[in-house]
Amino acid sequence: MPVSQKALIKPHRLKPGDTIGVVAPASPFRRRVLDQGVTLLKEMGYAVKLSDGLFEADGYLAGSDAHRASQLQEMFLDDGVDAVMCARGGFGSIRILPYLDWELIRAHPKPFIGFSDITAIHQALLLRAGLTAFHGPVVCSLPSSDRQTQRSLNRAIASKALLSLTVARPRTIKSGRAEGVLMGGNLTTLCHLVGTPFDRGFAGAVLFVEDTGEVAYRIDRMLMHMKLAGCFDGIAGLVVGSFKDCARAAVIDKLVRQRFADHDMPILAGMAVGHGRRNLTLPVGIAVRMDSDSGRLDLLECATVD
């Protein structure tokens, strides 16, 4: 399957004073933490609009599936909103995918920002709407993130410069360089998409993965499941992000080395992407070059347009 069934669309980059719409497509959250995140967005120079019914809750979900899907779609259709950012991940994004009108979303491209469970929406946006998305912080993770996380987010959605990310202490699992379209996100979510209408292989892609709270055997099981399903056939390179509260880094590196022993490609570990205090923003669907020896990931094109 190609990177996208539709030609790629890049959203307009943000300008000071533009409005970021906040949606809750997954789990509920604490109002106090959201307010802190909104304050940070305003300090970055943006206006903020909260979606109607943002604070609804239904157990471990932020309202019904139809309600959460409606929030997201309405924010894309709102001409007064310039970007869409998720309040939180958690669980529930995969449940709203059948409710969304991808043609309507494609007709109203905007930067869409989130991570963790939001990976399901990123994958669907690229596959069904041909729209690049931004794997970066959610509003409720901003207050506990560092300044570099906030600067990285702002550069990704507002700058014309080609981004370059460097791992301070790279762990080179396999040496080499590669170019490809950047794909990936949360490993658990990617694994749960296998066999669904939103499943896709990663042939030709530079794939990045991250996760939280997973012990070694579950990480191993997910990697093996995806390998047997053919998800990794033909990938150009692999970047291992943060695995917070998981197995030790050395254990994860060993698992990755074993699962990809028969792949002739570079593998870099240690990228500050995911559930850590530093969560650098990556545009999904954009051509990149990786160098696992120097620990660099360079964008070869801008993720946004004027």
Side-chain angles (χ1 to χ4, degrees), residues 7-49:
L8 184 68
I9 295 177
K10 298 178 182 179
H12 290 282
R13 65 181 56 93
L14 297 194
K15 307 179 297 297
D18 278 352
T19 298
I20 296 177
V22 179
V23 296
S27 294
F29 49 87
R30 289 181 291 170
R31 176 68 181 260
R32 178 181 61 83
V33 180
L34 182 95
D35 289 343
Q36 292 171 348
V38 167
T39 297
L40 287 170
L41 290 175
K42 291 179 177 179
E43 290 175 355
M44 292 167 62
Y46 301 112
V48 176
K49 179 177 181 178

mmCIF file of all heavy atoms in Angstrom, residues 7-49:
data_model
loop_
_atom_site.group_PDB
_atom_site.id
_atom_site.type_symbol
_atom_site.label_atom_id
_atom_site.label_comp_id
_atom_site.label_asym_id
_atom_site.label_seq_id
_atom_site.Cartn_x
_atom_site.Cartn_y
_atom_site.Cartn_z
ATOM 1 N N ALA A 7 -3.095 12.201 -2.818
ATOM 2 C CA ALA A 7 -1.942 13.088 -2.854
ATOM 3 C C ALA A 7 -1.846 13.836 -1.524
ATOM 4 O O ALA A 7 -2.854 14.247 -0.947
ATOM 5 C CB ALA A 7 -2.091 14.077 -4.013
ATOM 6 N N LEU A 8 -0.621 13.995 -1.048
ATOM 7 C CA LEU A 8 -0.412 14.610 0.251
ATOM 8 C C LEU A 8 -0.782 16.086 0.241
ATOM 9 O O LEU A 8 -0.431 16.828 -0.681
ATOM 10 C CB LEU A 8 1.053 14.451 0.668
ATOM 11 C CG LEU A 8 1.409 14.969 2.056
ATOM 12 C CD1 LEU A 8 0.750 14.098 3.122
ATOM 13 C CD2 LEU A 8 2.925 14.972 2.241
ATOM 14 N N ILE A 9 -1.501 16.507 1.267
ATOM 15 C CA ILE A 9 -1.832 17.910 1.477
ATOM 16 C C ILE A 9 -1.111 18.393 2.724
ATOM 17 O O ILE A 9 -1.136 17.735 3.761
ATOM 18 C CB ILE A 9 -3.355 18.107 1.658
ATOM 19 C CG1 ILE A 9 -4.108 17.750 0.388
ATOM 20 C CG2 ILE A 9 -3.667 19.549 2.057
ATOM 21 C CD1 ILE A 9 -5.612 17.864 0.525
ATOM 22 N N LYS A 10 -0.463 19.563 2.618
ATOM 23 C CA LYS A 10 0.179 20.168 3.776
ATOM 24 C C LYS A 10 -0.674 21.332 4.270
ATOM 25 O O LYS A 10 -1.160 22.132 3.472
ATOM 26 C CB LYS A 10 1.575 20.674 3.407
ATOM 27 C CG LYS A 10 2.527 19.587 2.947
ATOM 28 C CD LYS A 10 3.867 20.184 2.548
ATOM 29 C CE LYS A 10 4.808 19.120 2.048
ATOM 30 N NZ LYS A 10 6.119 19.695 1.643
ATOM 31 N N PRO A 11 -0.872 21.457 5.578
ATOM 32 C CA PRO A 11 -1.682 22.556 6.108
ATOM 33 C C PRO A 11 -0.911 23.869 6.099
ATOM 34 O O PRO A 11 0.319 23.891 5.956
ATOM 35 C CB PRO A 11 -1.975 22.101 7.537
ATOM 36 C CG PRO A 11 -0.768 21.281 7.891
ATOM 37 C CD PRO A 11 -0.375 20.564 6.633
ATOM 38 N N HIS A 12 -1.633 24.968 6.259
ATOM 39 C CA HIS A 12 -0.995 26.279 6.366
ATOM 40 C C HIS A 12 -0.302 26.411 7.717
ATOM 41 O O HIS A 12 -0.831 25.974 8.748
ATOM 42 C CB HIS A 12 -2.023 27.397 6.200
ATOM 43 C CG HIS A 12 -2.543 27.507 4.798
ATOM 44 N ND1 HIS A 12 -1.826 28.097 3.780
ATOM 45 C CD2 HIS A 12 -3.708 27.088 4.242
ATOM 46 C CE1 HIS A 12 -2.511 28.050 2.665
ATOM 47 N NE2 HIS A 12 -3.670 27.437 2.910
ATOM 48 N N ARG A 13 0.878 27.025 7.691
ATOM 49 C CA ARG A 13 1.592 27.246 8.955
ATOM 50 C C ARG A 13 0.894 28.336 9.760
ATOM 51 O O ARG A 13 0.214 29.211 9.204
ATOM 52 C CB ARG A 13 3.054 27.589 8.706
ATOM 53 C CG ARG A 13 3.327 28.872 8.000
ATOM 54 C CD ARG A 13 4.834 29.062 7.792
ATOM 55 N NE ARG A 13 5.421 27.940 7.075
ATOM 56 C CZ ARG A 13 5.584 27.892 5.757
ATOM 57 N NH1 ARG A 13 5.204 28.918 5.015
ATOM 58 N NH2 ARG A 13 6.101 26.832 5.178
ATOM 59 N N LEU A 14 1.049 28.258 11.066
ATOM 60 C CA LEU A 14 0.381 29.206 11.947
ATOM 61 C C LEU A 14 1.145 30.519 12.045
ATOM 62 O O LEU A 14 2.372 30.571 11.897
ATOM 63 C CB LEU A 14 0.212 28.610 13.344
ATOM 64 C CG LEU A 14 -0.659 27.354 13.457
ATOM 65 C CD1 LEU A 14 -1.009 27.096 14.920
ATOM 66 C CD2 LEU A 14 -1.921 27.442 12.619
ATOM 67 N N LYS A 15 0.400 31.564 12.339
ATOM 68 C CA LYS A 15 0.954 32.897 12.561
ATOM 69 C C LYS A 15 0.554 33.352 13.954
ATOM 70 O O LYS A 15 -0.438 32.851 14.527
ATOM 71 C CB LYS A 15 0.421 33.881 11.521
ATOM 72 C CG LYS A 15 0.593 33.451 10.080
ATOM 73 C CD LYS A 15 0.021 34.468 9.125
ATOM 74 C CE LYS A 15 -1.477 34.651 9.292
ATOM 75 N NZ LYS A 15 -2.266 33.453 9.016
ATOM 76 N N PRO A 16 1.286 34.299 14.534
ATOM 77 C CA PRO A 16 0.881 34.832 15.846
ATOM 78 C C PRO A 16 -0.562 35.324 15.800
ATOM 79 O O PRO A 16 -0.982 35.991 14.852
ATOM 80 C CB PRO A 16 1.862 35.989 16.070
ATOM 81 C CG PRO A 16 3.071 35.609 15.279
ATOM 82 C CD PRO A 16 2.544 34.912 14.049
ATOM 83 N N GLY A 17 -1.317 34.957 16.804
ATOM 84 C CA GLY A 17 -2.721 35.347 16.874
ATOM 85 C C GLY A 17 -3.675 34.332 16.284
ATOM 86 O O GLY A 17 -4.896 34.451 16.467
ATOM 87 N N ASP A 18 -3.163 33.336 15.563
ATOM 88 C CA ASP A 18 -4.035 32.294 15.024
ATOM 89 C C ASP A 18 -4.654 31.484 16.156
ATOM 90 O O ASP A 18 -4.137 31.450 17.284
ATOM 91 C CB ASP A 18 -3.249 31.367 14.093
ATOM 92 C CG ASP A 18 -3.097 31.942 12.696
ATOM 93 O OD1 ASP A 18 -3.717 32.977 12.412
ATOM 94 O OD2 ASP A 18 -2.336 31.360 11.890
ATOM 95 N N THR A 19 -5.748 30.800 15.833
ATOM 96 C CA THR A 19 -6.523 30.089 16.849
ATOM 97 C C THR A 19 -6.290 28.585 16.783
ATOM 98 O O THR A 19 -6.392 27.969 15.720
ATOM 99 C CB THR A 19 -8.030 30.371 16.668
ATOM 100 O OG1 THR A 19 -8.266 31.772 16.841
ATOM 101 C CG2 THR A 19 -8.855 29.592 17.689
ATOM 102 N N ILE A 20 -5.976 28.001 17.934
ATOM 103 C CA ILE A 20 -5.850 26.558 18.075
ATOM 104 C C ILE A 20 -7.116 26.031 18.741
ATOM 105 O O ILE A 20 -7.477 26.456 19.847
ATOM 106 C CB ILE A 20 -4.617 26.176 18.905
ATOM 107 C CG1 ILE A 20 -3.336 26.606 18.176
ATOM 108 C CG2 ILE A 20 -4.594 24.667 19.184
ATOM 109 C CD1 ILE A 20 -2.068 26.323 18.951
ATOM 110 N N GLY A 21 -7.806 25.132 18.058
ATOM 111 C CA GLY A 21 -9.000 24.515 18.622
ATOM 112 C C GLY A 21 -8.636 23.271 19.406
ATOM 113 O O GLY A 21 -7.817 22.460 18.951
ATOM 114 N N VAL A 22 -9.215 23.098 20.569
ATOM 115 C CA VAL A 22 -8.890 21.977 21.448
ATOM 116 C C VAL A 22 -10.041 20.972 21.440
ATOM 117 O O VAL A 22 -11.206 21.336 21.660
ATOM 118 C CB VAL A 22 -8.615 22.455 22.887
ATOM 119 C CG1 VAL A 22 -8.303 21.269 23.798
ATOM 120 C CG2 VAL A 22 -7.462 23.452 22.902
ATOM 121 N N VAL A 23 -9.713 19.705 21.193
ATOM 122 C CA VAL A 23 -10.707 18.629 21.140
ATOM 123 C C VAL A 23 -10.281 17.501 22.074
ATOM 124 O O VAL A 23 -9.128 17.404 22.487
ATOM 125 C CB VAL A 23 -10.866 18.086 19.704
ATOM 126 C CG1 VAL A 23 -11.402 19.149 18.775
ATOM 127 C CG2 VAL A 23 -9.530 17.538 19.188
ATOM 128 N N ALA A 24 -11.237 16.636 22.404
ATOM 129 C CA ALA A 24 -10.958 15.482 23.269
ATOM 130 C C ALA A 24 -11.459 14.215 22.562
ATOM 131 O O ALA A 24 -12.573 13.752 22.835
ATOM 132 C CB ALA A 24 -11.634 15.652 24.622
ATOM 133 N N PRO A 25 -10.658 13.632 21.653
ATOM 134 C CA PRO A 25 -11.118 12.456 20.919
ATOM 135 C C PRO A 25 -10.894 11.138 21.642
ATOM 136 O O PRO A 25 -11.256 10.089 21.114
ATOM 137 C CB PRO A 25 -10.255 12.499 19.652
ATOM 138 C CG PRO A 25 -8.987 13.141 20.113
ATOM 139 C CD PRO A 25 -9.358 14.122 21.191
ATOM 140 N N ALA A 26 -10.313 11.192 22.835
ATOM 141 C CA ALA A 26 -9.968 9.944 23.521
ATOM 142 C C ALA A 26 -10.504 9.968 24.953
ATOM 143 O O ALA A 26 -11.709 9.894 25.173
ATOM 144 C CB ALA A 26 -8.453 9.734 23.474
ATOM 145 N N SER A 27 -9.620 10.117 25.939
ATOM 146 C CA SER A 27 -10.010 10.017 27.351
ATOM 147 C C SER A 27 -10.262 11.379 27.989
ATOM 148 O O SER A 27 -9.781 12.403 27.502
ATOM 149 C CB SER A 27 -8.907 9.296 28.140
ATOM 150 O OG SER A 27 -8.797 7.949 27.733
ATOM 151 N N PRO A 28 -10.997 11.418 29.108
ATOM 152 C CA PRO A 28 -11.200 12.671 29.837
ATOM 153 C C PRO A 28 -9.920 13.107 30.542
ATOM 154 O O PRO A 28 -8.924 12.377 30.565
ATOM 155 C CB PRO A 28 -12.314 12.333 30.827
ATOM 156 C CG PRO A 28 -12.209 10.858 31.023
ATOM 157 C CD PRO A 28 -11.720 10.292 29.725
ATOM 158 N N PHE A 29 -9.950 14.269 31.154
ATOM 159 C CA PHE A 29 -8.737 14.894 31.687
ATOM 160 C C PHE A 29 -9.123 15.820 32.837
ATOM 161 O O PHE A 29 -10.307 16.103 33.073
ATOM 162 C CB PHE A 29 -8.049 15.698 30.577
ATOM 163 C CG PHE A 29 -9.007 16.600 29.841
ATOM 164 C CD1 PHE A 29 -9.289 17.875 30.296
ATOM 165 C CD2 PHE A 29 -9.681 16.131 28.716
ATOM 166 C CE1 PHE A 29 -10.205 18.683 29.643
ATOM 167 C CE2 PHE A 29 -10.609 16.934 28.053
ATOM 168 C CZ PHE A 29 -10.869 18.209 28.517
ATOM 169 N N ARG A 30 -8.110 16.311 33.533
ATOM 170 C CA ARG A 30 -8.350 17.242 34.634
ATOM 171 C C ARG A 30 -8.416 18.681 34.110
ATOM 172 O O ARG A 30 -7.519 19.112 33.387
ATOM 173 C CB ARG A 30 -7.245 17.116 35.686
ATOM 174 C CG ARG A 30 -7.307 15.804 36.483
ATOM 175 C CD ARG A 30 -6.218 15.751 37.521
ATOM 176 N NE ARG A 30 -4.904 15.622 36.891
ATOM 177 C CZ ARG A 30 -3.752 15.735 37.548
ATOM 178 N NH1 ARG A 30 -3.752 16.014 38.840
ATOM 179 N NH2 ARG A 30 -2.601 15.597 36.911
ATOM 180 N N ARG A 31 -9.446 19.395 34.511
ATOM 181 C CA ARG A 31 -9.653 20.772 34.037
ATOM 182 C C ARG A 31 -8.470 21.665 34.412
ATOM 183 O O ARG A 31 -8.028 22.505 33.614
ATOM 184 C CB ARG A 31 -10.955 21.325 34.630
ATOM 185 C CG ARG A 31 -11.241 22.794 34.299
ATOM 186 C CD ARG A 31 -11.535 22.983 32.824
ATOM 187 N NE ARG A 31 -11.792 24.358 32.481
ATOM 188 C CZ ARG A 31 -13.015 24.869 32.321
ATOM 189 N NH1 ARG A 31 -14.083 24.110 32.521
ATOM 190 N NH2 ARG A 31 -13.191 26.121 31.969
ATOM 191 N N ARG A 32 -7.932 21.482 35.605
ATOM 192 C CA ARG A 32 -6.825 22.330 36.057
ATOM 193 C C ARG A 32 -5.608 22.187 35.151
ATOM 194 O O ARG A 32 -4.969 23.177 34.791
ATOM 195 C CB ARG A 32 -6.451 21.978 37.497
ATOM 196 C CG ARG A 32 -5.265 22.776 38.056
ATOM 197 C CD ARG A 32 -4.947 22.344 39.471
ATOM 198 N NE ARG A 32 -4.572 20.940 39.544
ATOM 199 C CZ ARG A 32 -3.333 20.499 39.283
ATOM 200 N NH1 ARG A 32 -2.378 21.334 38.920
ATOM 201 N NH2 ARG A 32 -3.056 19.205 39.374
ATOM 202 N N VAL A 33 -5.295 20.954 34.760
ATOM 203 C CA VAL A 33 -4.134 20.716 33.901
ATOM 204 C C VAL A 33 -4.388 21.279 32.511
ATOM 205 O O VAL A 33 -3.495 21.866 31.886
ATOM 206 C CB VAL A 33 -3.804 19.216 33.837
ATOM 207 C CG1 VAL A 33 -2.600 18.968 32.940
ATOM 208 C CG2 VAL A 33 -3.534 18.668 35.240
ATOM 209 N N LEU A 34 -5.612 21.124 32.009
ATOM 210 C CA LEU A 34 -5.948 21.696 30.707
ATOM 211 C C LEU A 34 -5.779 23.206 30.732
ATOM 212 O O LEU A 34 -5.204 23.799 29.800
ATOM 213 C CB LEU A 34 -7.369 21.337 30.312
ATOM 214 C CG LEU A 34 -7.745 21.884 28.928
ATOM 215 C CD1 LEU A 34 -7.530 20.838 27.855
ATOM 216 C CD2 LEU A 34 -9.174 22.396 28.887
ATOM 217 N N ASP A 35 -6.268 23.867 31.787
ATOM 218 C CA ASP A 35 -6.146 25.318 31.890
ATOM 219 C C ASP A 35 -4.680 25.748 31.864
ATOM 220 O O ASP A 35 -4.328 26.763 31.247
ATOM 221 C CB ASP A 35 -6.816 25.816 33.172
ATOM 222 C CG ASP A 35 -8.332 25.714 33.118
ATOM 223 O OD1 ASP A 35 -8.879 25.564 32.009
ATOM 224 O OD2 ASP A 35 -8.964 25.777 34.190
ATOM 225 N N GLN A 36 -3.812 24.973 32.501
ATOM 226 C CA GLN A 36 -2.382 25.293 32.495
ATOM 227 C C GLN A 36 -1.818 25.177 31.083
ATOM 228 O O GLN A 36 -1.013 26.011 30.653
ATOM 229 C CB GLN A 36 -1.637 24.360 33.450
ATOM 230 C CG GLN A 36 -1.967 24.581 34.915
ATOM 231 C CD GLN A 36 -1.376 23.503 35.809
ATOM 232 O OE1 GLN A 36 -0.902 22.464 35.335
ATOM 233 N NE2 GLN A 36 -1.394 23.744 37.111
ATOM 234 N N GLY A 37 -2.235 24.141 30.369
ATOM 235 C CA GLY A 37 -1.775 23.969 28.997
ATOM 236 C C GLY A 37 -2.279 25.077 28.084
ATOM 237 O O GLY A 37 -1.535 25.571 27.218
ATOM 238 N N VAL A 38 -3.527 25.479 28.265
ATOM 239 C CA VAL A 38 -4.091 26.573 27.469
ATOM 240 C C VAL A 38 -3.310 27.863 27.720
ATOM 241 O O VAL A 38 -3.021 28.630 26.783
ATOM 242 C CB VAL A 38 -5.586 26.756 27.800
ATOM 243 C CG1 VAL A 38 -6.109 28.071 27.237
ATOM 244 C CG2 VAL A 38 -6.399 25.581 27.252
ATOM 245 N N THR A 39 -2.950 28.108 28.969
ATOM 246 C CA THR A 39 -2.157 29.300 29.297
ATOM 247 C C THR A 39 -0.830 29.295 28.545
ATOM 248 O O THR A 39 -0.395 30.328 28.018
ATOM 249 C CB THR A 39 -1.898 29.370 30.814
ATOM 250 O OG1 THR A 39 -3.152 29.507 31.483
ATOM 251 C CG2 THR A 39 -1.006 30.553 31.161
ATOM 252 N N LEU A 40 -0.199 28.143 28.455
ATOM 253 C CA LEU A 40 1.073 28.046 27.737
ATOM 254 C C LEU A 40 0.883 28.320 26.245
ATOM 255 O O LEU A 40 1.720 28.979 25.620
ATOM 256 C CB LEU A 40 1.694 26.668 27.957
ATOM 257 C CG LEU A 40 2.279 26.421 29.344
ATOM 258 C CD1 LEU A 40 2.652 24.947 29.518
ATOM 259 C CD2 LEU A 40 3.515 27.294 29.574
ATOM 260 N N LEU A 41 -0.191 27.810 25.663
ATOM 261 C CA LEU A 41 -0.461 28.085 24.253
ATOM 262 C C LEU A 41 -0.666 29.576 24.017
ATOM 263 O O LEU A 41 -0.186 30.136 23.015
ATOM 264 C CB LEU A 41 -1.686 27.302 23.786
ATOM 265 C CG LEU A 41 -1.534 25.785 23.677
ATOM 266 C CD1 LEU A 41 -2.872 25.141 23.313
ATOM 267 C CD2 LEU A 41 -0.482 25.405 22.639
ATOM 268 N N LYS A 42 -1.341 30.231 24.934
ATOM 269 C CA LYS A 42 -1.554 31.677 24.805
ATOM 270 C C LYS A 42 -0.235 32.427 24.954
ATOM 271 O O LYS A 42 0.012 33.422 24.260
ATOM 272 C CB LYS A 42 -2.570 32.144 25.833
ATOM 273 C CG LYS A 42 -3.991 31.649 25.558
ATOM 274 C CD LYS A 42 -4.979 32.118 26.608
ATOM 275 C CE LYS A 42 -6.391 31.666 26.280
ATOM 276 N NZ LYS A 42 -7.375 32.094 27.330
ATOM 277 N N GLU A 43 0.633 31.944 25.834
ATOM 278 C CA GLU A 43 1.944 32.569 25.988
ATOM 279 C C GLU A 43 2.797 32.383 24.737
ATOM 280 O O GLU A 43 3.703 33.185 24.468
ATOM 281 C CB GLU A 43 2.664 31.981 27.203
ATOM 282 C CG GLU A 43 2.046 32.395 28.530
ATOM 283 C CD GLU A 43 2.695 31.709 29.715
ATOM 284 O OE1 GLU A 43 3.573 30.833 29.506
ATOM 285 O OE2 GLU A 43 2.335 32.041 30.857
ATOM 286 N N MET A 44 2.518 31.346 23.956
ATOM 287 C CA MET A 44 3.217 31.138 22.691
ATOM 288 C C MET A 44 2.685 32.061 21.597
ATOM 289 O O MET A 44 3.238 32.108 20.494
ATOM 290 C CB MET A 44 3.080 29.671 22.259
ATOM 291 C CG MET A 44 3.820 28.692 23.158
ATOM 292 S SD MET A 44 3.357 26.943 22.874
ATOM 293 C CE MET A 44 3.853 26.719 21.160
ATOM 294 N N GLY A 45 1.609 32.771 21.895
ATOM 295 C CA GLY A 45 1.085 33.753 20.953
ATOM 296 C C GLY A 45 -0.168 33.349 20.219
ATOM 297 O O GLY A 45 -0.585 34.017 19.266
ATOM 298 N N TYR A 46 -0.835 32.271 20.669
ATOM 299 C CA TYR A 46 -2.023 31.787 19.978
ATOM 300 C C TYR A 46 -3.288 32.038 20.792
ATOM 301 O O TYR A 46 -3.269 32.045 22.020
ATOM 302 C CB TYR A 46 -1.892 30.287 19.700
ATOM 303 C CG TYR A 46 -0.691 29.951 18.858
ATOM 304 C CD1 TYR A 46 0.379 29.239 19.393
ATOM 305 C CD2 TYR A 46 -0.614 30.373 17.533
ATOM 306 C CE1 TYR A 46 1.504 28.949 18.619
ATOM 307 C CE2 TYR A 46 0.499 30.086 16.757
ATOM 308 C CZ TYR A 46 1.559 29.384 17.309
ATOM 309 O OH TYR A 46 2.664 29.108 16.558
ATOM 310 N N ALA A 47 -4.385 32.228 20.066
ATOM 311 C CA ALA A 47 -5.693 32.200 20.705
ATOM 312 C C ALA A 47 -6.116 30.733 20.822
ATOM 313 O O ALA A 47 -5.626 29.873 20.090
ATOM 314 C CB ALA A 47 -6.708 32.983 19.881
ATOM 315 N N VAL A 48 -7.032 30.451 21.745
ATOM 316 C CA VAL A 48 -7.460 29.074 21.985
ATOM 317 C C VAL A 48 -8.986 29.018 22.007
ATOM 318 O O VAL A 48 -9.636 29.844 22.644
ATOM 319 C CB VAL A 48 -6.894 28.531 23.311
ATOM 320 C CG1 VAL A 48 -7.427 27.131 23.586
ATOM 321 C CG2 VAL A 48 -5.368 28.527 23.279
ATOM 322 N N LYS A 49 -9.535 28.036 21.310
ATOM 323 C CA LYS A 49 -10.975 27.802 21.320
ATOM 324 C C LYS A 49 -11.233 26.379 21.780
ATOM 325 O O LYS A 49 -10.697 25.427 21.212
ATOM 326 C CB LYS A 49 -11.575 28.013 19.925
ATOM 327 C CG LYS A 49 -13.080 27.754 19.869
ATOM 328 C CD LYS A 49 -13.655 28.055 18.490
ATOM 329 C CE LYS A 49 -15.159 27.801 18.468
ATOM 330 N NZ LYS A 49 -15.757 28.136 17.145
#
